[in-house]
């Protein structure tokens, strides 16, 4: 399963058929790319990459706008047998430099804003830096357009080994240093087949609305590589906005939407007021992943739209492991069943023994989707695997009929006087209280108990914090064991999250430390 082989096979017929469309915030399609145009452009880029000395086994860093060469560049880099190192534009210059050096990048292709943050990062690349800009070229870089102008299309793709790294991604690093994760052609290709085709039944007839960031596995591996794999149409939005997405569904005849829970939460809040302008008639499936989707959002979304969101679970290291089924029961609060060919178990992390259904432990995964180890980091690799099982660091529980539920990260476990509390079980109770817009829970140090539970609440607009806190305390007394009840309540205007919607619990802990006890 080599992606180059598969992508070229998929795209080399129906040359006039549109593959990508760019949707402006105004709701107009402002650019279209056919399969034929994409392959011709990719072959021009491949000639330029080869001209720059990029060969099979090299790595190229990439950060471009979704509709301004990004997909062409991915295809071309893979097409010369190299691997792509997607750069997250939210990283600081220092973090970007660390990624470029760790990945030993031979060429970087980025927007001017990446370089302009700190011109010194240019020297972290052991080769040229091509910049997509119409303005002044930053020092020590070359304009992408002038490089491409020196070549012609016609270069043929190189079909390399299935075990070659296609994407070298760096983990989101909500805790600690980011680590490099090399996903091979086989890892990604087998996952796209079992998830998109076998489980979600995606086909060339689908129209995907793509509002996710394109540097993370979700928006990139599933959204963009998935489109190249399946041959569906992807309608690209530069940025998520709930109204833009909801109104685009019918206008752009969308059939598939992939989002993170924060997106669904924001959509749910606008659905009632937009009801007259929104139609779900063309929709086939709404998919959520990358962070826990609360059963409350699932319920409200279904109430408004009639659609039961399909939640799935994955990690950068493993791509996607489980999904709720399209044809069977979509069970809220669970991430569904193991994908075909993927094994998922819940283990006692100390005894290294599998646990029975209903028992909570660490989720371990093995299968063709799992990466083979951290980039140049044998120590981290050794602790991450037990034989051929990858230890996810997530806590979970399997039901008797094999549905997996996630209770949080092991590192996020709150240990109150020696007893474990998962943030998820406390959040599940607090978020159903009327007046709560969003909530997140974290452990903060406590002189007596070691740690105590702290609750961070975003109230609905019309709520008074003091009375809401009283009601939350009563609710916790009723529904939670004493050691699980929050000892601290802090009211915020927003829960801190990263670009994939993951709660940044480190920041919450800092806020909890500063908060006076109530
Ligand atoms: P990343 O490597 O950035 O994709 O982050 C992977 C982590 O995201 C997993 O280890 C989980 O903790 C979390 N995650 C992904 N999908 C889900 C989900 N559906 N429910 C709960 N957590 C999730």
């Amino acid at each position: 399963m080599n992606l180059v082989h598969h992508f070229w096979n998929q795209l080399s017929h129906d040359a006039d058929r549109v593959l990508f469309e760019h949707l402006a915030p105004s709701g107009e399609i402002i650019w279209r790319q056919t399969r034929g145009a994409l392959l011709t452009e990719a072959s021009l880029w491949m000639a330029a990459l080869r001209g720059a000395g990029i060969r099979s086994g090299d790595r190229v860093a990439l950060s471009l706008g979704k509709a301004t060469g990004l997909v062409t560049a991915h295809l071309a880099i893979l097409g010369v047998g190299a691997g792509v190192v997607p750069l997250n534009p939210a990283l600081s210059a220092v973090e970007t430099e660390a990624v470029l050096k760790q990945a030993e990048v031979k060429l970087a292709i980025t927007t001017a804003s990446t370089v302009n943050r700190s011109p010194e990062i240019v020297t972290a690349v052991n080769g040229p830096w091509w910049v997509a800009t119409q303005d002044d070229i930053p020092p020590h870089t070359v304009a992408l357009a002038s490089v491409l102008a020196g070549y012609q299309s016609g270069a043929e793709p190189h079909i390399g080994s299935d075990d070659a790294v296609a994407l070298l991604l760096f983990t989101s690093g909500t805790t600690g240093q980011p680590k490099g994760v090399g996903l091979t052609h086989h890892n990604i290709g087998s996952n796209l087949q079992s998830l998109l085709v076998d489980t979600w039944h995606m086909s060339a007839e689908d129209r995907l609305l793509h509002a996710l960031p394109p540097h993370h596995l979700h928006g990139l591996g599933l959204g963009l590589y998935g489109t190249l794999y399946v041959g569906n149409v992807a309608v690209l939005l530069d940025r998520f906005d709930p109204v833009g997405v909801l109104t685009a569904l019918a206008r752009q005849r969308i059939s598939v939407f992939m989002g993170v829970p924060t997106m669904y939460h924001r959509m749910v809040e606008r659905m009632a007021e937009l009801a007259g302008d929104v139609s779900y008639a063309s929709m086939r499936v709404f998919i959520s992943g990358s962070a826990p989707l609360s059963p409350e959002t699932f319920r409200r979304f279904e109430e408004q739209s009639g659609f039961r969101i399909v939640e799935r679970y994955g990690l950068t290291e493993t791509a996607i492991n489980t999904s709720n089924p399209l044809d069977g029961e979509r069970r809220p609060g669970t991430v569904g069943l193991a994908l075909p060919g993927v094994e998922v178990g819940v283990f006692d992390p100390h005894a290294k023994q599998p646990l029975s259904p209903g028992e909570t432990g660490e989720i371990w995964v093995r299968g063709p989707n799992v990466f083979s180890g951290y980039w140049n980091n044998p120590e981290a690799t050794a602790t991450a695997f037990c034989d051929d099982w990858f230890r996810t660091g997530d806590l979970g529980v399997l039901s008797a009929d094999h549905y997996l539920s996630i209770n949080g990260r092991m590192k996020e476990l709150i240990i109150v006087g020696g007893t474990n509390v998962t943030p998820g079980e406390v959040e599940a109770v607090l978020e159903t209280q009327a007046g709560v817009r969003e909530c997140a829970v974290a452990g903060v140090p406590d002189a007596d108990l070691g740690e105590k539970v702290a609750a961070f609440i975003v109230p609905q607009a019309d709520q008074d914090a003091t009375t809401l806190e009283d009601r939350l305390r009563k609710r916790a007394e009723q529904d939670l064991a004493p050691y699980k009840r929050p000892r601290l309540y802090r009211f915020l205007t927003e829960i801190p999250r990263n670009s994939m919607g993951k709660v940044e619990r480190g920041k919450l802990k800092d806020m909890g430390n500063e908060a006076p006890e109530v």
Side-chain angles (χ1 to χ4, degrees):
M1 168 65 79
N2 184 282
L3 291 177
V4 173
H5 178 72
H6 194 93
F7 291 169
W8 257 264
N9 258 355
Q10 172 64 265
L11 303 178
S12 54
H13 52 87
D14 296 333
D16 294 336
R17 202 169 158 168
V18 169
L19 193 67
F20 290 103
E21 298 183 348
H22 188 199
L23 183 62
S26 63
E28 304 300 313
I29 298 287
I30 50 172
W31 171 86
R32 286 190 170 86
Q33 189 177 41
T34 62
R35 294 159 171 241
L38 174 62
L39 287 188
T40 306
E41 279 169 37
S43 83
L44 168 70
W45 286 58
M46 279 156 52
L49 290 167
R50 287 188 179 133
I54 302 302
R55 298 283 177 268
S56 169
D58 289 339
R59 279 161 309 284
V60 177
L62 188 58
S63 172
L64 292 174
K66 277 185 200 176
T68 50
L70 181 76
V71 182
T72 313
H74 271 281
L75 206 51
I77 296 166
L78 297 181
V80 300
V84 186
V85 183
L87 295 178
N88 174 354
L91 294 187
S92 69
V94 176
E95 289 164 324
T96 307
E97 193 176 331
V99 166
L100 294 170
K101 284 191 174 154
Q102 249 199 78
E104 295 167 293
V105 162
K106 282 228 179 131
L107 166 73
I109 311 175
T110 71
T111 56
S113 63
T114 303
V115 190
N116 288 339
R117 255 178 291 147
S118 159
E120 289 85 64
I121 60 171
V122 174
T123 56
V125 173
N126 191 14
W129 194 304
W130 298 348
V131 182
T133 176
Q134 275 140 19
D135 307 321
D136 290 344
I137 320 288
H140 314 297
T141 67
V142 194
L144 175 61
S146 68
V147 174
L148 295 174
Y151 293 90
Q152 288 187 336
S153 60
E156 289 296 322
H158 163 93
I159 316 284
S161 156
D162 293 2
D163 295 327
V165 166
L167 285 176
L168 179 57
L169 299 160
F170 282 77
T171 54
S172 55
T174 43
T175 51
Q177 275 292 315
K179 293 187 286 257
V181 173
L183 290 176
T184 63
H185 286 253
H186 184 59
N187 293 146
I188 299 169
S190 65
N191 207 235
L192 292 176
Q193 180 64 36
S194 61
L195 181 69
L196 299 190
V197 181
D198 300 340
T199 306
W200 295 344
H201 312 317
M202 279 187 72
S203 75
E205 303 313 312
D206 275 309
R207 288 177 60 85
L208 166 76
L209 183 57
H210 191 298
L212 288 159
H215 58 266
H216 184 270
L217 183 84
H218 195 167
L220 175 58
L222 300 193
L224 298 182
Y225 281 33
T227 296
L228 299 175
Y229 189 89
V230 170
N232 55 276
V233 176
V235 179
L236 308 173
L237 260 177
D238 283 328
R239 229 156 272 106
F240 171 79
D241 129 62
V243 179
V245 165
L246 285 166
T247 50
L249 297 178
R251 282 183 206 157
Q252 303 304 332
R253 304 180 320 283
I254 301 301
S255 59
V256 180
F257 179 73
M258 297 178 189
V260 298
T262 321
M263 294 180 177
Y264 286 106
H265 191 252
R266 292 188 186 156
M267 282 156 73
V268 156
E269 300 213 313
R270 307 301 296 271
M271 281 164 121
E273 86 195 62
L274 291 171
D277 293 327
V278 180
S279 155
Y280 305 95
S282 58
M283 281 306 294
R284 199 167 66 76
V285 61
F286 286 95
I287 294 156
S288 175
S290 292
L293 177 74
S294 78
E296 182 62 8
T297 303
F298 179 98
R299 189 190 62 71
R300 288 177 61 199
F301 194 87
E302 184 180 11
E303 205 173 79
Q304 301 274 352
S305 68
F307 278 83
R308 290 170 76 80
I309 299 170
V310 169
E311 186 173 6
R312 65 27 165 214
Y313 159 65
L315 291 88
T316 306
E317 289 89 335
T318 64
I320 309 306
N321 303 309
T322 72
S323 172
N324 271 280
L326 242 72
D327 308 323
E329 185 196 352
R330 303 178 192 176
R331 201 174 290 171
T334 82
V335 292
L337 308 163
L339 297 183
V342 178
E343 277 181 89
V344 174
V346 171
F347 283 75
D348 176 331
H350 307 294
K352 301 189 171 142
Q353 292 299 322
L355 294 169
S356 305
E359 291 184 312
T360 299
E362 187 181 13
I363 301 167
W364 291 12
V365 180
R366 66 179 173 188
N369 52 320
V370 178
F371 81 139
S372 54
Y374 291 106
W375 191 251
N376 291 336
N377 195 339
E379 297 82 23
T381 303
T383 44
F385 282 88
C386 183
D387 302 326
D388 55 347
W389 287 99
F390 174 69
R391 311 170 61 154
T392 65
D394 288 317
L395 287 166
V397 57
L398 277 166
S399 68
D401 57 354
H402 316 294
Y403 277 73
L404 181 70
S405 304
I406 300 184
N407 299 342
R409 302 278 304 153
M410 275 168 59
K411 281 188 194 138
E412 291 169 359
L413 204 63
I414 310 167
I415 305 180
V416 182
T419 312
N420 295 345
V421 181
T422 62
E425 59 188 328
V426 183
E427 288 163 1
V429 169
L430 301 183
E431 74 180 10
T432 54
Q433 178 64 49
V436 172
R437 191 162 159 242
E438 252 193 301
C439 78
V441 160
V444 296
D446 180 80
D448 181 35
L449 297 165
E451 271 191 306
K452 65 187 165 203
V453 177
F456 299 85
I457 310 287
V458 179
Q460 301 280 15
D462 54 350
Q463 288 298 311
D464 167 62
T466 317
T467 53
L468 181 56
E469 186 178 326
D470 285 345
R471 282 188 276 131
L472 284 167
R473 282 185 185 276
K474 285 201 187 93
R475 181 67 187 269
E477 273 168 33
Q478 186 187 304
D479 290 353
L480 290 169
Y483 66 95
K484 295 184 188 174
R485 294 178 196 152
R487 299 276 298 266
L488 272 184
Y489 283 86
R490 178 108 199 243
F491 290 85
L492 307 176
T493 50
E494 201 177 15
I495 301 289
R497 292 179 190 274
N498 71 10
S499 66
M500 297 309 296
K502 293 182 209 295
V503 174
E504 295 179 300
R505 289 188 210 267
K507 288 192 180 158
L508 292 179
K509 279 176 189 289
D510 294 343
M511 290 183 206
N513 285 335
E514 292 156 13
E517 185 145 356
V518 227

